[in-house]
Amino acid sequence: MSKIKVLNIVGARPQIIKSSAISRAIRLNFSDEIEELTLHTGQHYDKELSEVFFDELEIHKPDFNLGVGSAPHGRQTSLMITGIEEVLLKQKPDCILLYGDTNSTLAGAIAASKLHFPVFHIEAGLRSFNKKMPEELNRIMSDHASTLLFAPTNAAFKNLMNEGFRPENSPPYTIDNPKIYLTGDIMYDNSLFFAELAERKKSSLLEVMHLERDKFILTTVHREINTDDTRRLGIILSTLKELAEKHCIPFVMPFHPRTINSLKSGLKPLFDELKICGYISIVPPVSYLEMTLLEKTCRMIITDSGGVQKESHFFKKPCIVLRKETEWIELVTNGTVKLTDANPDRLRDEFEAFIHNGTDLVYPGFYGDGKTAEFILNEILHFFNK
Ligand code: UD1
Ligand code: UDP
């Protein structure tokens, strides 16, 4: 029996991590039926945003790396489309698997759908309803170029229905007759799988970072809206510094290079103040296992990341999101994620509320049973009548 040839397209940190759930499930349960190839666009290229995950999470190493690097949206995406097209024409995979909402996702969707390769989108249907976000445009366009759409949440599934996708479609599925599924979230699979390993493999991390369990705040900031607007970034970080000093509580901040670049170029005096503040520790991006341990052991998370806010739920931590909207709306309804945008008063109020009452919250299971990757791979087998 010939194997189904699946081409994963990844490029940015969260996609590489997401692909590990699929890679692991193929290795453990589907290796007789599915052959996996991985194309890395090269959108992320620093070791700590890319290579570290392939090593640490034992992910299938990229078979192709386009090495596109950083560039403005149009140029970066067009370089990716050109490179992906060449690989598709040579490799002729049976389908391509896309993750999330980055420029690498969009480039994969455009290149593959125009060449009539079936596109399967993991994390379909998420919407912020803010088309000023590059990710929102990427999501909508990728979903509408897809044949199988795997929605992680009820809200994402409903969004797809509202855009005209019909759950009652029957096979054979095509780009014009797509199938939508409510699947759960492959990142929940990952957190369940790696949480205990993180404790074992990174047991000295807290000591090295001078942190104590439940007595520090974990913060990440990387979204274009916050990093490229130095006024917003300045407000956020000076408010966090004030809160750290008031409560004498350490903040650990593994920052994306984009955030460090903005601090160095547009907020030098504040960056210098943060560096000498005894409660603030700005560090380079950490590995996924290190991040998992920090999320598991912190008191509270403050972030603008989609992935990190969701992981706050997996590890039952209250979370403040530095945006005015989120795609993971069930977390807001649940009261465990608070949206403060870059508003210093809201940030202060929600911080005070969580620091005093953050232990009485409940964290229902919104994200499936931890076997979402297996579910998705079984549906891919069905698509090919296997
Ligand atoms: C991208 C995604 C975003 C995702 C994030 C995950 C898009 C539009 N955005 O944002 O949805 O949340 O990845 O981390 O696809 N840089 C480096 N080293 C690298 C890569 C980037 O220093 O290895 C710096 C460069 O200055 C670059 C900037 O970061 O210009 C932005 O990189 P880019 O890939 O364009 O977007 P991200 O902000 O990483
Ligand atoms: N992450 C990591 N190291 C870090 C910061 C984040 O491993 O220093 C992981 C995090 O645990 C999550 C993913 O990266 O799984 C989220 O990626 P990111 O915040 O870059 O993007 P987003 O999810 O917002 O698209």
Side-chain angles (χ1 to χ4, degrees):
M1 188 177 72
S2 67
K3 291 190 190 184
I4 298 164
K5 191 160 148 186
V6 172
L7 179 70
N8 290 303
I9 297 189
V10 299
R13 167 169 65 190
Q15 296 169 321
I16 301 168
I17 301 171
K18 284 167 199 167
S19 79
S20 80
I22 292 290
S23 227
R24 187 170 61 253
I26 293 179
R27 203 169 56 240
L28 295 178
N29 298 315
F30 294 85
S31 57
D32 290 342
E33 296 107 337
I34 297 179
E35 174 194 353
E36 177 185 26
L37 287 176
T38 295
L39 180 155
H40 190 320
T41 62
Q43 178 172 354
H44 284 176
Y45 42 86
D46 284 348
K47 189 170 191 284
E48 62 264 34
L49 291 183
S50 174
E51 197 185 321
V52 62
F53 304 111
F54 289 99
D55 294 341
E56 186 178 65
L57 309 182
E58 294 181 25
I59 308 173
H60 179 86
K61 292 265 176 357
D63 302 278
F64 316 95
N65 193 324
L66 305 179
V68 301
S70 303
H73 286 275
R75 181 172 165 70
Q76 187 184 52
T77 311
S78 64
L79 288 171
M80 291 178 192
I81 294 173
T82 307
I84 294 170
E85 188 172 66
E86 280 170 20
V87 172
L88 288 172
L89 289 171
K90 276 199 198 119
Q91 294 298 321
K92 298 190 171 36
D94 294 304
C95 59
I96 70 154
L97 211 44
L98 300 178
Y99 302 85
D101 55 18
T102 72
N103 287 351
S104 300
T105 317
L106 175 65
I110 293 175
S113 60
K114 292 225 169 174
L115 290 172
H116 306 162
F117 288 95
V119 172
F120 303 161
H121 188 200
I122 295 182
E123 256 195 23
L126 293 171
R127 298 289 182 264
S128 65
F129 302 99
N130 173 4
K131 286 190 184 147
K132 290 215 171 104
M133 285 178 79
E135 293 85 358
E136 183 76 349
L137 298 172
N138 293 346
R139 290 178 195 123
I140 294 171
M141 293 194 254
S142 301
D143 282 343
H144 288 264
S146 295
T147 291
L148 302 186
L149 294 92
F150 299 110
T153 58
N154 287 319
F157 191 80
K158 278 193 199 137
N159 290 336
L160 291 174
M161 289 205 288
N162 290 339
E163 287 176 23
F165 289 92
R166 294 152 55 106
E168 66 274 17
N169 283 359
S170 53
Y173 301 120
T174 65
I175 189 171
D176 289 312
N177 179 44
K179 173 68 177 167
I180 58 174
Y181 296 92
L182 175 59
T183 60
D185 182 9
I186 56 171
M187 286 304 290
Y188 183 50
D189 299 13
N190 273 340
S191 288
L192 285 181
F193 186 82
F194 289 113
E196 193 265 332
L197 201 67
E199 290 271 3
R200 249 189 306 126
K201 287 210 167 172
K202 302 290 170 188
S203 54
S204 56
L205 182 73
L206 296 186
E207 204 181 318
V208 171
M209 291 182 118
H210 308 291
L211 298 170
E212 281 180 67
R213 272 174 198 263
D214 266 335
K215 292 190 181 151
F216 68 94
I217 312 293
L218 175 63
T219 299
T220 75
V221 181
H222 78 282
R223 293 242 161 244
E224 193 171 286
I225 184 191
N226 286 329
T227 56
D228 293 17
D229 180 342
T230 46
R231 192 192 59 87
R232 280 179 68 99
L233 187 60
I235 290 172
I236 290 169
L237 293 180
S238 47
T239 309
L240 296 184
K241 176 172 175 285
E242 170 201 311
L243 290 167
E245 285 167 346
K246 177 179 170 201
H247 288 271
C248 302
I249 186 159
F251 277 58
V252 59
M253 303 183 171
F255 274 172
H256 190 294
R258 162 171 219 157
T259 319
I260 301 293
N261 292 344
S262 290
L263 279 169
K264 280 185 184 156
S265 60
L267 289 167
K268 186 81 176 51
L270 176 62
F271 193 25
D272 290 339
E273 274 178 45
L274 294 169
K275 277 196 261 186
I276 54 167
C277 168
Y279 294 108
I280 304 276
S281 171
I282 296 179
V283 297
V286 293
S287 79
Y288 179 72
L289 289 184
E290 288 167 343
M291 191 64 182
T292 299
L293 188 71
L294 292 173
E295 288 169 345
K296 238 186 129 178
T297 56
C298 69
R299 174 83 175 264
M300 185 194 310
I301 294 177
I302 302 180
T303 188
D304 60 8
S305 157
V308 175
Q309 71 184 271
K310 203 149 30 76
E311 286 159 0
S312 76
H313 191 81
F314 303 157
F315 296 115
K316 300 186 169 36
K317 303 292 171 172
C319 179
I320 290 174
V321 170
L322 302 162
R323 290 175 49 198
K324 64 178 177 342
E325 75 280 300
T326 178
E327 303 74 34
W328 306 98
I329 194 69
E330 57 286 340
L331 298 176
V332 176
T333 312
N334 192 50
T336 40
V337 158
K338 300 287 183 182
L339 300 171
T340 64
D341 203 11
N343 180 318
D345 292 332
R346 272 158 60 195
L347 188 43
R348 284 184 198 105
D349 289 350
E350 300 300 356
F351 184 91
E352 297 293 343
F354 275 155
I355 207 91
H356 295 299
N357 304 312
T359 49
D360 299 336
L361 304 164
V362 288
Y363 296 86
F366 294 132
Y367 299 106
D369 60 1
K371 294 191 171 65
T372 294
E374 278 84 352
F375 176 86
I376 289 172
L377 291 167
N378 265 318
E379 291 311 318
I380 293 177
L381 292 187
H382 291 152
F383 177 85
F384 291 104
N385 295 319
K386 304 254 179 178

